[in-house]
């Protein structure tokens, strides 16, 4: 009997991923909630394992406010935010005493994520896992993609679907998702330009798409992208990009406001709290209220530590943005508009850069280990909370910082 196959598009680095368990510097079982699918919840309640019975009775509960099978139950974390099924070596007691087949979908598939676009499967991964940062985000060669073939009987969990040809998207840019996505990913990986320059050009293109949509000419999008691509290859933007002013005080204040907003909502990750404290101390926010002194220190840290680091390793920030763009089906996905997705992409770049500048000042150096810690812990705290993402986009809009001019200032040093 012929085995049915499934084709999935995924980043090449994923084929080398495996969980490193107790060797991991963080734990995906600490710091956030764990939802249980219905099948796993019911299996736990029937499980008669003496080593697990008491913990299941006390810490596995039904989610009565969620009717879906995917989030049917939950594991209540202990007072330290830790999964009660972890042993002293941070190993899973469910896995040890009941077996792999008793792991929930959440635990089985993390950090991987599958989506379905126009009937085709795509698998991505989140850098909230340190091993994903090491394998994918630090890669000098950049992120490339491949189609893999696997047994169609193997279980997958689909986290999102997108039908670009659906009737809702008639005469809307979503119809040209593949053209816009390919253009955007190629631009983000075009190393003839600095990453800040690539982001500014992307903003110019997205503004053009908005105008085209308003004028009811969405069929012109492919031709516009082709024209912009020719201009990018010819270097036509270089002189205008050089005229963009450097306003480090604005980018510093915006990043600080967003970080403070997150702090006010609560941060359960000890690892990210260390990053945040060191960032603020490294820039000088803790020592003084004199914004001129803080700005001078911010600029010195950038020149002394971040600039030389990025001269060799700007591909790390490029990979981070490319990974997120692919994973979240940008520039559409869960964003309210193509411009909202662009705002968030610029914010991601600005926030990681802000933490790099601060922590480099605190440690008097910047190295790959610090960068892994920043990217992984920031992602874990921010990118798994869509409500917070929408809040900070709104925060920028309400403050009037959502224009292309401000986005350009936000990304350029």
């Amino acid at each position: 009997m012929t085995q049915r196959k499934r084709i999935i598009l995924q980043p090449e680095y994923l084929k080398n991923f495996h969980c490193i368990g107790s060797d991991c510097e963080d734990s995906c079982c600490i710091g956030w909630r764990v939802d249980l699918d219905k099948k796993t919840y019911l299996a736990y309640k029937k499980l008669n394992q003496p080593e697990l019975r008491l913990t299941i009775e006390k810490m596995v509960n039904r989610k009565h406010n969620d009717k879906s099978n995917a989030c049917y139950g939950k594991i209540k974390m202990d007072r330290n935010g830790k999964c009660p099924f972890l042993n002293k070596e941070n190993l899973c007691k469910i896995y040890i005493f009941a077996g792999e087949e008793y792991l929930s979908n959440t635990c089985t598939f993390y950090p991987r994520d599958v989506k379905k676009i126009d009937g085709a499967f795509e698998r991505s991964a989140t850098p909230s896992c340190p091993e994903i940062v090491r394998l994918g985000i630090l890669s000098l060669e950049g992120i490339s993609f491949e189609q893999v073939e696997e047994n169609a009987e193997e279980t997958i969990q689909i986290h999102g679907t997108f039908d670009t040809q659906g009737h809702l998207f008639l005469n809307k840019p979503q119809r040209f998702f593949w053209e816009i996505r390919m253009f955007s990913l190629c631009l983000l990986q075009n190393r003839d330009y600095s990453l800040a320059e690539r982001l500014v050009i992307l903003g110019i293109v997205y503004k053009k798409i908005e105008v085209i949509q308003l004028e009811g000419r969405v069929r012109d999008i492919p031709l516009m992208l082709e024209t912009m691509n020719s201009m990018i290859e010819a270097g036509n933007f270089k002189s205008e990009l050089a005229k963009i002013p450097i306003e480090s005080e604005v980018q510093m204040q915006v990043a600080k406001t967003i970080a403070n907003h997150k702090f006010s909502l609560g941060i359960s990750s000890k690892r990210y709290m260390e990053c945040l404290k060191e960032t603020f101390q490294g820039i000088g926010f803790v020592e003084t209220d004199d914004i001129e002194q803080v700005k001078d220190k911010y600029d010195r840290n950038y020149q002394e530590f971040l600039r030389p680091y990025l001269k060799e390793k700007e591909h790390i920030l490029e990979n981070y943005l490319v990974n997120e763009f692919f994973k979240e089906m940008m520039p559409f996905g869960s964003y309210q508009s193509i411009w909202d997705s662009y705002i968030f992409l610029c914010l991601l770049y600005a926030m990681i850069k802000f933490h790099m500048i601060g922590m480099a000042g605190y440690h008097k150096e910047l190295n790959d280990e610090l960068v892994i810690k920043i990217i992984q812990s920031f992602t874990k705290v921010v990118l798994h909370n869509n409500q917070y993402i929408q809040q900070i986009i709104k925060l920028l809009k309400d403050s009037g910082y959502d224009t292309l001019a401000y986005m350009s200032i936000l990304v350029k040093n």
Side-chain angles (χ1 to χ4, degrees):
M1 183 177 170
T2 306
Q3 192 179 58
R4 286 196 309 123
K5 297 292 183 182
R6 178 168 55 221
I7 304 294
I8 296 194
L9 179 68
Q10 65 177 33
E12 282 188 356
Y13 70 78
L14 254 180
K15 65 187 173 194
N16 297 317
F17 172 77
H18 67 274
C19 176
I20 59 174
S22 59
D23 291 333
C24 187
E25 58 267 54
D26 199 358
S27 172
C28 50
C29 307
I30 301 173
W32 48 23
R33 73 166 193 266
V34 176
D35 290 332
L36 296 176
D37 52 282
K38 184 175 182 179
K39 180 183 172 187
T40 304
Y41 173 86
L42 295 176
Y44 284 5
K45 288 301 179 183
K46 292 177 183 173
L47 190 60
N48 189 20
Q49 218 303 327
E51 300 288 343
L52 303 172
R53 188 69 258 158
L54 189 60
T55 308
I56 289 174
E57 285 178 5
K58 285 185 175 179
M59 309 301 269
V60 173
N61 300 311
R62 177 80 168 88
K63 284 183 75 174
H64 294 290
N65 60 347
D66 196 324
K67 305 297 182 188
S68 70
N69 286 343
C71 302
Y72 192 81
K74 65 180 179 182
I75 298 176
K76 184 181 175 185
M77 300 291 110
D78 70 15
R79 59 184 175 183
N80 297 314
K82 187 175 176 180
C83 177
F85 292 107
L86 282 183
N87 65 16
K88 290 179 181 176
E89 290 77 36
N90 274 353
L91 296 173
C92 177
K93 289 193 280 189
I94 293 280
Y95 188 95
I96 293 170
F97 294 113
E100 185 178 3
E101 64 272 23
Y102 276 86
L103 292 179
S104 68
N105 285 339
T106 304
C107 300
T108 298
F109 297 119
Y110 177 85
R112 289 149 296 204
D113 180 275
V114 174
K115 292 186 171 68
K116 200 172 182 182
I117 306 176
D118 291 341
F121 293 102
E122 292 189 353
R123 181 181 287 122
S124 57
T126 170
S128 57
C129 165
E131 196 63 3
I132 293 298
V133 182
R134 274 186 284 272
L135 284 174
I137 309 302
L138 262 54
S139 169
L140 173 62
E141 291 75 26
I143 294 179
S144 52
F145 301 90
E146 64 178 356
Q147 285 187 323
V148 296
E149 190 178 84
E150 60 187 30
N151 183 357
E153 301 305 319
E154 288 182 13
T155 304
I156 57 172
Q157 187 176 33
I158 299 172
H159 288 106
T161 59
F162 186 17
D163 176 13
T164 68
Q165 300 305 302
H167 70 280
L168 289 174
F169 302 135
L170 188 65
N171 296 323
K172 292 191 174 176
Q174 282 87 341
R175 274 293 161 98
F176 299 97
F177 166 78
W178 296 103
E179 290 89 343
I180 296 170
R181 185 194 220 192
M182 183 60 72
F183 172 89
S184 304
L185 286 172
C186 287
L187 175 57
L188 287 172
Q189 293 185 306
N190 185 342
R191 295 184 185 176
D192 291 337
Y193 292 82
S194 72
L195 189 52
E197 289 175 332
R198 295 173 230 170
L199 283 169
V200 175
I201 297 172
L202 192 65
I204 294 170
V205 173
Y206 285 2
K207 276 296 175 192
K208 285 183 177 292
I209 291 175
E210 283 195 333
V211 171
I212 287 174
Q213 183 180 7
L214 283 172
E215 293 174 352
R217 300 185 290 112
V218 293
R219 290 182 182 277
D220 291 347
I221 286 176
L223 180 60
M224 182 275 289
L225 294 176
E226 196 177 317
T227 303
M228 293 300 287
N229 208 30
S230 299
M231 293 174 71
I232 292 167
E233 287 181 9
N236 292 2
F237 293 100
K238 285 284 185 183
S239 59
E240 290 303 311
L241 290 169
K243 295 176 185 174
I244 297 172
I246 296 173
E247 299 277 359
S248 54
E249 182 178 335
V250 174
Q251 58 181 248
M252 187 180 69
Q253 291 287 28
V254 169
K256 180 173 180 280
T257 300
I258 291 169
N260 281 339
H261 182 60
K262 182 60 191 165
F263 182 77
S264 70
L265 295 173
I267 296 170
S268 58
S269 167
K270 182 183 172 187
R271 191 168 154 87
Y272 179 66
M273 275 305 296
E274 289 172 359
C275 289
L276 195 56
K277 286 178 181 175
E278 291 175 5
T279 297
F280 277 21
Q281 287 183 39
I283 292 173
F285 278 122
V286 178
E287 300 166 15
T288 178
D289 292 330
D290 186 334
I291 197 64
E292 278 303 315
Q293 285 186 33
V294 174
K295 177 181 169 302
D296 287 346
K297 199 165 185 178
Y298 181 88
D299 289 338
R300 281 202 308 276
N301 286 350
Y302 173 76
Q303 292 295 338
E304 190 173 349
F305 304 116
L306 184 57
R307 189 177 180 184
Y309 183 83
L310 289 184
K311 189 176 179 182
E312 302 294 326
K313 302 193 174 189
E314 193 178 49
H315 60 271
I316 293 174
L317 288 172
E318 171 197 302
N319 292 341
Y320 187 58
L321 298 187
V322 167
N323 195 73
E324 187 63 15
F325 196 96
F326 176 76
K327 184 168 75 67
E328 293 303 320
M329 301 187 291
M330 285 185 174
F332 301 106
S334 60
Y335 296 94
Q336 293 179 10
S337 70
I338 195 169
W339 192 248
D340 277 11
S341 76
Y342 176 70
I343 290 172
F344 190 64
L345 205 62
C346 291
L347 272 178
L348 278 186
Y349 175 74
M351 290 301 291
I352 295 296
K353 194 174 59 171
F354 174 74
H355 285 76
M356 284 177 161
I357 290 173
M359 286 186 68
Y362 180 85
H363 290 276
K364 306 302 178 195
E365 66 167 338
L366 190 60
N367 55 50
D368 289 353
E369 284 308 307
L370 284 177
V371 171
I372 290 170
K373 184 175 181 180
I374 292 167
I375 289 178
Q376 180 268 327
S377 64
F378 175 84
T379 305
K380 185 174 180 177
V381 166
V382 172
L383 297 195
H384 290 266
N385 188 338
N386 190 52
Q387 189 178 11
Y388 174 68
I389 291 171
Q390 299 305 325
Q391 283 177 4
I392 57 178
I393 292 172
K394 184 175 184 302
L395 193 67
L396 248 68
K397 286 180 169 179
D398 292 345
S399 306
Y401 284 130
D402 60 327
T403 64
L404 178 57
Y406 270 117
M407 289 298 109
S408 303
I409 288 171
L410 202 58
V411 299
K412 184 173 180 180
N413 282 86

